[in-house]
Coordinates of all heavy atoms in Angstrom, one line a residue:
D41 N 52.2 14.4 35.4 CA 52.1 15.8 36.0 C 51.6 16.8 35.0 O 52.4 17.4 34.3 CB 53.5 16.1 36.5 CG 53.5 17.5 37.2 OD1 52.4 18.0 37.5 OD2 54.6 18.1 37.4
T42 N 50.3 16.8 34.9 CA 49.7 17.8 33.9 C 48.3 18.2 34.5 O 47.9 17.8 35.6 CB 49.5 17.1 32.6 OG1 49.1 18.1 31.6 CG2 48.4 16.0 32.6
W46 N 46.4 23.4 31.4 CA 47.6 23.4 30.5 C 47.2 22.8 29.1 O 47.4 23.3 28.1 CB 48.8 22.6 31.1 CG 50.0 22.8 30.3 CD1 51.0 23.7 30.6 CD2 50.4 22.2 29.1 NE1 52.0 23.7 29.6 CE2 51.7 22.7 28.7 CE3 49.9 21.2 28.3 CZ2 52.4 22.3 27.5 CZ3 50.6 20.8 27.1 CH2 51.8 21.3 26.8
R50 N 47.0 25.0 25.7 CA 48.1 24.8 24.8 C 47.6 24.0 23.5 O 48.3 24.0 22.5 CB 49.2 24.0 25.4 CG 49.8 24.7 26.6 CD 50.9 25.6 26.2 NE 51.4 26.3 27.4 CZ 52.6 26.7 27.5 NH1 53.5 26.5 26.6 NH2 53.0 27.4 28.6
T51 N 46.5 23.2 23.7 CA 46.2 22.3 22.5 C 44.7 22.4 22.1 O 44.4 22.1 21.0 CB 46.5 20.8 22.9 OG1 45.5 20.4 23.8 CG2 47.8 20.6 23.5
C125 N 50.4 11.3 10.0 CA 49.2 12.1 10.0 C 48.8 12.6 8.7 O 47.6 13.0 8.5 CB 49.3 13.3 11.0 SG 49.8 12.8 12.6
R164 N 54.6 13.5 29.6 CA 53.5 14.4 29.6 C 53.5 15.3 28.3 O 52.4 15.9 28.0 CB 53.5 15.3 30.8 CG 54.6 16.3 30.9 CD 54.5 17.2 32.1 NE 55.5 18.2 32.1 CZ 55.6 19.2 33.0 NH1 54.7 19.3 33.9 NH2 56.6 20.1 32.9
S165 N 54.6 15.5 27.7 CA 54.7 16.4 26.5 C 54.1 15.7 25.3 O 53.7 16.4 24.3 CB 56.1 16.9 26.2 OG 56.9 15.8 25.8
V168 N 49.5 13.6 26.2 CA 48.2 14.3 26.3 C 47.6 14.6 25.0 O 46.5 15.0 24.9 CB 48.4 15.6 27.1 CG1 48.9 15.4 28.5 CG2 49.3 16.6 26.4
L169 N 48.4 14.4 23.9 CA 48.0 14.9 22.6 C 47.2 13.9 21.8 O 46.4 14.3 20.9 CB 49.2 15.2 21.8 CG 50.2 16.2 22.4 CD1 51.4 16.4 21.5 CD2 49.5 17.6 22.5
F170 N 47.4 12.6 22.0 CA 46.9 11.6 21.0 C 45.6 10.9 21.5 O 45.3 10.8 22.6 CB 48.0 10.7 20.7 CG 49.2 11.4 20.1 CD1 50.4 11.5 20.9 CD2 49.2 11.9 18.8 CE1 51.5 12.2 20.3 CE2 50.3 12.6 18.3 CZ 51.4 12.7 19.1
L202 N 59.9 13.7 14.6 CA 58.7 13.0 15.1 C 58.7 11.6 14.6 O 58.9 11.4 13.4 CB 57.5 13.8 14.6 CG 56.1 13.2 14.8 CD1 55.8 12.9 16.2 CD2 55.1 14.2 14.2
M226 N 58.9 13.1 19.9 CA 58.5 14.3 19.2 C 59.2 15.5 19.7 O 59.3 15.7 21.0 CB 57.0 14.5 19.3 CG 56.5 15.7 18.5 SD 54.8 15.9 18.5 CE 54.5 16.5 20.1
G228 N 58.1 18.9 19.9 CA 56.8 19.6 19.7 C 57.0 20.9 19.0 O 56.2 21.3 18.1
R229 N 58.0 21.7 19.5 CA 58.1 23.0 18.9 C 58.5 23.0 17.4 O 58.1 23.9 16.7 CB 59.2 23.8 19.7 CG 58.7 24.2 21.0 CD 59.7 25.1 21.8 NE 59.2 25.3 23.1 CZ 59.9 26.0 24.0 NH1 61.0 26.6 23.7 NH2 59.5 26.1 25.3
V231 N 57.8 20.6 15.3 CA 56.6 20.2 14.6 C 55.6 21.4 14.4 O 55.0 21.6 13.4 CB 55.9 19.0 15.2 CG1 54.6 18.6 14.4 CG2 56.8 17.8 15.3
F232 N 55.5 22.2 15.5 CA 54.6 23.3 15.5 C 55.0 24.3 14.4 O 54.2 24.8 13.7 CB 54.6 24.0 16.9 CG 53.5 24.9 17.1 CD1 52.3 24.5 17.7 CD2 53.6 26.2 16.8 CE1 51.2 25.3 17.9 CE2 52.5 27.1 17.0 CZ 51.3 26.7 17.5
H263 N 44.1 18.5 9.4 CA 44.5 17.5 10.4 C 44.3 18.0 11.8 O 44.7 19.2 12.1 CB 45.9 17.0 10.1 CG 46.5 16.2 11.2 ND1 45.8 15.1 11.8 CD2 47.6 16.4 12.0 CE1 46.6 14.6 12.8 NE2 47.7 15.4 12.9
A265 N 45.4 18.4 15.0 CA 46.6 18.3 15.9 C 46.5 19.2 17.1 O 46.6 18.8 18.3 CB 47.8 18.5 15.2
N266 N 46.3 20.5 16.8 CA 46.3 21.5 17.9 C 45.5 22.7 17.4 O 45.8 23.2 16.3 CB 47.8 21.8 18.1 CG 48.0 22.8 19.3 OD1 47.1 23.7 19.5 ND2 49.1 22.6 20.0
R268 N 45.8 25.7 18.2 CA 46.7 26.8 18.0 C 47.2 26.9 16.6 O 47.4 28.0 16.0 CB 47.8 26.9 19.0 CG 47.3 27.4 20.4 CD 48.3 26.9 21.5 NE 49.6 27.3 21.3 CZ 50.7 26.7 21.7 NH1 50.5 25.5 22.4 NH2 51.9 27.1 21.5
I269 N 47.5 25.7 16.0 CA 47.9 25.7 14.6 C 46.8 26.2 13.7 O 47.1 27.0 12.8 CB 48.3 24.2 14.2 CG1 49.5 23.8 15.1 CG2 48.6 24.1 12.7 CD1 49.9 22.3 15.0
N293 N 44.5 14.1 18.8 CA 45.1 13.9 17.5 C 45.1 12.4 17.2 O 45.8 11.6 17.8 CB 46.6 14.4 17.6 CG 47.3 14.2 16.3 OD1 46.9 13.4 15.4 ND2 48.5 14.8 16.2
F323 N 49.5 17.3 7.9 CA 51.0 17.3 8.1 C 51.3 16.4 9.2 O 50.5 16.1 10.1 CB 51.4 18.8 8.5 CG 50.5 19.3 9.6 CD1 50.7 19.0 10.9 CD2 49.3 20.1 9.2 CE1 49.8 19.5 11.9 CE2 48.4 20.5 10.2 CZ 48.7 20.2 11.5
Ligands
LIG411 O1 50.3 15.4 13.9 C1 51.4 16.2 14.3 C2 51.7 15.9 15.7 N1 52.3 16.9 16.5 C3 51.9 18.1 16.7 O2 51.0 18.6 16.2 C4 52.6 18.9 17.8 C5 52.9 20.3 17.5 N2 53.4 21.0 18.7 C6 52.5 21.3 19.7 O3 51.3 21.2 19.5 C7 53.1 22.0 20.9 O4 54.5 22.2 20.7 C8 52.9 21.2 22.2 C9 51.4 21.2 22.5 C10 53.4 19.8 22.0 C11 53.6 21.8 23.3 O5 53.2 23.2 23.5 P1 54.3 24.3 23.7 O6 53.5 25.6 23.9 O7 55.2 24.2 22.6 O8 55.0 23.9 25.1 P2 56.5 23.6 25.4 O9 56.9 22.3 24.8 O10 57.3 24.8 25.0 O11 56.5 23.4 26.9 C12 56.2 24.5 27.8 C13 56.2 24.1 29.2 C14 57.4 23.3 29.6 O12 57.8 23.6 30.9 P3 59.0 24.7 31.2 O13 60.2 24.1 30.6 O14 58.5 26.0 30.6 O15 59.0 24.7 32.7 C15 57.0 21.9 29.6 O16 57.7 21.0 30.4 O17 55.1 23.2 29.5 C16 55.6 22.0 30.1 N3 54.7 20.9 29.7 C17 53.6 20.6 30.3 N4 53.0 21.1 31.4 C18 51.9 20.5 31.9 C19 54.8 20.1 28.6 N5 53.8 19.2 28.5 C20 53.0 19.5 29.6 C21 51.8 19.0 30.1 N6 51.3 19.5 31.2 N7 51.2 18.0 29.4

Side-chain angles (χ1 to χ4, degrees):
D41 181 14
T42 189
W46 192 97
R50 302 274 176 147
T51 72
C125 305
R164 68 177 183 173
S165 69
V168 301
L169 303 175
F170 301 106
L202 170 58
M226 180 176 75
R229 285 187 192 179
V231 179
F232 196 91
H263 167 50
N266 183 324
R268 281 157 58 210
I269 294 170
N293 178 346
F323 46 84

